[in-house]
Amino acid sequence: MKDLLTDSAARSTRYLAGIRDRRVAPSPEDIARLEVLGGPLPRSVSDPAHILALLDEIGSPATVATTGGRYFGFVIGGALPASLAANWLAGAWDQNGALTVMSPVAAKVEEIVLSWVLELLGLPASCAGGFVTGTTMANFTALAACRNALLERFGWNVEEDGLFGAPPIKVVVGEEAHVSLLKALSLLGLGRSRVISVPTDKQGRIRPEALPVLDDRTLVCIQAGNVNSGAFDPAQQICTRAREAGAWVHVDGAFGLWAAVSPRYAELVDGFSLADSWAIDCHKWLNVPYDSGMAIVRKAQHLRDAMSLNAAYLPASNLREPCHYTPEASRRARGIELWAALRSLGREGLRDLIERNCHQARVCAQRFRGAGFEVLNDVVLNQVLVSFGRAEETRRVIAEVQNDGTCWCGGTQWRGHTAMRISFSSWATTDEDVERSLEAVLRIASTCKLATT
Ligand SMILES: Cc1ncc(COP(=O)(O)O)c(C=O)c1O
């Protein structure tokens, strides 16, 4: 075991040491070599050292260097040193995070992290929270609590009796709601399409004057941080109206809610603390290893009612038992890396990380504008949408940038335009990475332009 883990650590550190010098996306040849990992299932036992070597030799070159500094696709963070190191130790611990009796350390660390996160986000200390795999599951988990709460008002126990014959719930979403929110609604039997979709403005923000009549059996879903533009719904207005009507407000705050940590950007999250539930990601801007997110619910009982499980062989306890707050029972102790990330960054380190990425986004937007390209969004946070002309020109630049390997940016459609999406979410992105990436994208864009003129 010792030699094997030493070898694993050496290979991992070698991988990370080379991350800045390699292509961001793997080459087609490296991807093709993954076939070597297949073949028939071996009949007999193999030496773990050979297995590790094979995985490293074939697998490492076929990774995407998301943990380096020049990956700007989707919304993807890296892994902070403290959180990665904690992840290795937690792997060795191999704790089951379901119950305190299974892992006192996992249970305690979750409690600590929950209180720190609530403080950072400016949410009441009495909120409950579940540690899940990401925002998709955080949306699902928090919305299950909402479903419980709204139907309970009408004497309906949805956990016991299901949804058949239940009083209807009105679900309101912005037309720019993230697909994962719609997926969560579908998993909960509330329906992806059975929603009232509210028009948004040109940044993707809900137009509050277009909200339907709200009442005490309405769920309103808003977002902090549009996945493309980074825009925030006007929470203050929406939450005030929802409160007056007795409606439940849920916030998909995957990456955007972390703006609360920076005094410079806190204005963006004005009013979001008035909501009833929140979903956040930790593997994005908090930069912990996958997979990690949190569902937060104002009234703890609603989350517990929706998620708790009891059986004679599960010990009764007065403690906060993690499995009463998540869909899973057995799971990895993902709070450990969160604890390490927050303990190592502190409030100031996290603020610096957020502000650095936002600054990089602004610099990037200025450079594109300066080079004559159109930036399609107001760069309020960490997201930049840029057009390189006609749709096929933009698509060509994106393909060439991905092929070039200096950095990685994806594409999207934004209000009728084809755009390159550039997301700054990694602790590892230095200003030099930004310069090197901009130089590559602008070089490719001008070559593509020359080729089409
Ligand atoms: C606003 C928003 N919500 C939800 C998600 C889904 O998060 P996850 O992939 O962690 O489930 C994302 C991912 O980018 C997002 O940006």
Side-chain angles (χ1 to χ4, degrees):
M1 186 72 120
K2 189 173 170 204
D3 288 350
L4 187 65
L5 292 186
T6 307
D7 188 24
S8 176
R11 289 176 184 278
S12 305
T13 43
R14 199 156 58 231
Y15 173 80
L16 291 175
I19 201 104
R20 288 182 176 279
D21 302 324
R22 56 161 275 185
R23 292 172 51 85
V24 174
S27 69
E29 297 74 37
D30 288 333
I31 296 172
R33 285 179 73 223
L34 287 171
E35 288 301 323
V36 175
L37 299 179
L41 176 69
R43 280 173 64 95
S44 54
V45 172
S46 306
D47 176 2
H50 286 143
I51 304 302
L52 185 70
L54 182 64
L55 190 60
D56 185 24
E57 279 150 29
I58 303 296
S60 292
T63 56
V64 177
T66 49
T67 201
R70 297 190 309 279
Y71 187 85
F72 307 106
F74 308 96
V75 186
I76 300 244
L80 283 159
S83 71
L84 177 59
N87 171 278
W88 287 2
L89 185 58
W93 288 351
D94 189 27
Q95 298 289 278
N96 186 329
L99 290 165
T100 311
V101 71
M102 289 172 167
S103 179
V105 60
K108 184 67 190 168
V109 157
E110 280 197 4
E111 263 180 54
I112 297 167
V113 170
L114 177 60
S115 72
W116 286 349
V117 168
L118 294 175
E119 188 190 319
L120 286 167
L121 300 182
L123 301 179
S126 53
C127 289
F131 292 72
V132 292
T133 50
T135 305
T136 304
M137 279 313 287
N139 280 328
F140 171 84
T141 306
L143 291 174
C146 160
R147 193 181 65 161
N148 165 284
L150 292 188
L151 290 176
E152 186 194 54
R153 292 176 185 172
F154 300 93
W156 191 270
N157 184 334
V158 68
E159 282 75 32
E160 294 302 323
D161 300 325
L163 273 180
F164 295 106
I169 295 175
K170 190 197 288 185
V171 182
V172 178
V173 301
E175 66 179 358
E176 274 291 335
H178 193 269
V179 283
S180 71
L181 185 110
L182 301 176
K183 181 172 177 178
L185 290 171
S186 80
L187 291 171
L188 288 162
L190 298 173
R192 274 176 217 263
S193 305
R194 197 197 143 276
V195 294
I196 299 175
S197 185
V198 184
T200 53
D201 67 13
K202 62 182 199 300
Q203 298 302 320
R205 295 171 295 216
I206 285 181
R207 289 181 23 226
E209 73 282 4
L211 281 173
V213 174
L214 308 179
D215 59 23
D216 60 354
R217 57 174 76 170
T218 305
L219 156 65
V220 186
C221 300
I222 61 176
Q223 72 185 353
N226 177 291
V227 72
N228 285 315
S229 69
F232 289 66
D233 286 330
Q236 187 76 43
Q237 271 169 284
I238 298 173
C239 289
T240 306
R241 261 191 68 183
R243 279 198 163 188
E244 281 162 15
W248 178 292
V249 180
H250 169 72
V251 177
D252 176 349
F255 60 100
L257 265 192
W258 292 107
V261 175
S262 158
R264 196 174 296 171
Y265 296 96
E267 203 188 330
L268 292 169
V269 300
D270 246 10
F272 281 95
S273 63
L274 297 171
D276 301 283
S277 59
W278 303 264
I280 53 165
D281 236 300
C282 303
H283 51 224
K284 294 186 173 49
W285 232 351
L286 190 54
N287 279 257
V288 300
Y290 287 92
D291 41 23
S292 191
M294 287 175 70
I296 301 172
V297 176
R298 181 181 293 279
K299 293 219 171 95
Q301 194 57 43
H302 294 309
L303 183 56
R304 268 201 304 273
D305 286 350
M307 293 294 145
S308 63
L309 78 171
N310 295 296
Y313 78 100
L314 301 176
S317 135
N318 294 325
L319 303 170
R320 176 194 174 280
E321 293 299 343
C323 67
H324 294 327
Y325 299 88
T326 55
E328 308 94 336
S330 293
R331 64 178 167 85
R332 71 184 194 91
R334 58 174 64 85
I336 308 277
E337 299 108 7
L338 295 180
W339 176 86
L342 291 171
R343 185 79 165 74
S344 72
L345 286 174
R347 182 182 275 276
E348 281 180 16
L350 186 54
R351 190 194 66 202
D352 285 351
L353 164 57
I354 305 284
E355 292 182 355
R356 193 166 63 246
N357 284 158
C358 292
H359 175 72
Q360 290 166 340
R362 282 202 309 279
V363 168
C364 169
Q366 273 162 14
R367 291 285 293 281
F368 281 122
R369 284 195 201 99
F373 298 112
E374 190 185 359
V375 174
L376 300 174
N377 63 320
D378 290 349
V379 179
V380 293
L381 200 68
N382 61 335
Q383 304 289 120
V384 182
L385 301 174
V386 59
S387 159
F388 294 95
R390 284 174 289 135
E392 59 272 26
E393 287 170 325
T394 301
R395 276 197 291 271
R396 175 126 186 251
V397 175
I398 294 168
E400 293 290 327
V401 165
Q402 292 179 359
N403 190 34
D404 171 78
T406 305
C407 63
W408 202 97
C409 307
T412 192
Q413 285 295 313
W414 180 247
R415 304 192 91 81
H417 298 275
T418 299
M420 177 187 272
R421 287 180 76 256
I422 308 170
S423 177
F424 293 87
S425 326
S426 175
W427 75 280
T429 301
T430 60
D431 292 348
E432 193 199 330
D433 286 318
V434 176
E435 282 308 315
R436 206 171 136 188
S437 304
L438 278 170
E439 186 278 321
V441 177
L442 290 169
R443 168 176 44 81
I444 289 164
S446 65
T447 314
C448 290
K449 194 114 209 136
L450 281 178
T452 52
T453 49

